[in-house]
Amino acid sequence: MLGRLNHVAIAVPDLEAGCRVYKSMLGATVSEPQAEPDHGVTVVFVELPNTKVELLEPLGENSPIQAFLDKSPAGGIHHVCYEVDDIIAARDHLKQEGARVLGDGEPKTGAHGKPVLFLHPKDFCGTLVELEQA
Ligand code: CO
């Protein structure tokens, strides 16, 4: 069922500082910041040869990553995103397996304009998992 690792998302308290780390220190290609008010984040994409890293900074008052940063003020890995061919089939399979799908269980449009779902960290080795239909 699982395809490629689409991205690793890292929550950061300061997007500019995070960009400096990846651009200047690590020499990676980093996109311009992109505000995503619907998701409560501003994001940059770090392009790597085989996958992406996304740096997420809270945007607005009810950002879903604020609680994470309250617990980990320096930032940290927030979720991993795996590609699937058919997100509805993947969701139905996981529900059958007893996994919890977050929210109302219906795919939302993610940062790349594709359908995404999030899965409960307690069911996935303590890691928040995003599925994206490739
Ligand atoms: Co993501």
Side-chain angles (χ1 to χ4, degrees):
M1 186 174 90
L2 278 192
R4 294 173 64 246
L5 173 67
N6 185 275
H7 60 269
V8 175
I10 299 177
V12 295
D14 178 347
L15 195 57
E16 237 181 85
C19 286
R20 271 199 304 277
V21 167
Y22 274 85
K23 226 183 209 164
S24 308
M25 293 175 74
L26 295 170
T29 303
V30 179
S31 75
E32 288 301 311
Q34 185 176 315
E36 296 187 17
D38 289 355
H39 295 274
V41 294
T42 304
V43 59
V44 300
F45 303 105
V46 181
E47 295 291 342
L48 305 178
N50 62 340
T51 190
K52 291 186 284 288
V53 171
E54 297 181 3
L55 303 181
L56 308 174
E57 180 188 63
L59 174 64
E61 281 179 15
N62 295 312
S63 174
I65 62 168
Q66 189 57 58
F68 179 93
L69 284 170
D70 289 344
K71 279 185 224 149
S72 306
I77 293 180
H78 183 261
H79 64 269
V80 294
C81 176
Y82 302 116
E83 294 179 0
V84 293
D85 288 333
D86 182 337
I87 201 161
I88 299 296
R91 175 199 64 189
D92 292 347
H93 168 74
L94 290 167
K95 279 169 103 170
Q96 252 171 26
E97 294 288 321
R100 285 165 284 185
V101 178
L102 298 186
D104 63 6
E106 294 307 317
K108 304 257 186 303
T109 302
H112 314 109
K114 306 222 172 117
V116 302
L117 281 173
F118 285 90
L119 307 174
H120 201 296
K122 288 200 170 130
D123 298 332
F124 293 91
C125 310
T127 304
L128 178 61
V129 171
E130 179 179 18
L131 296 180
E132 181 176 298
Q133 187 164 292

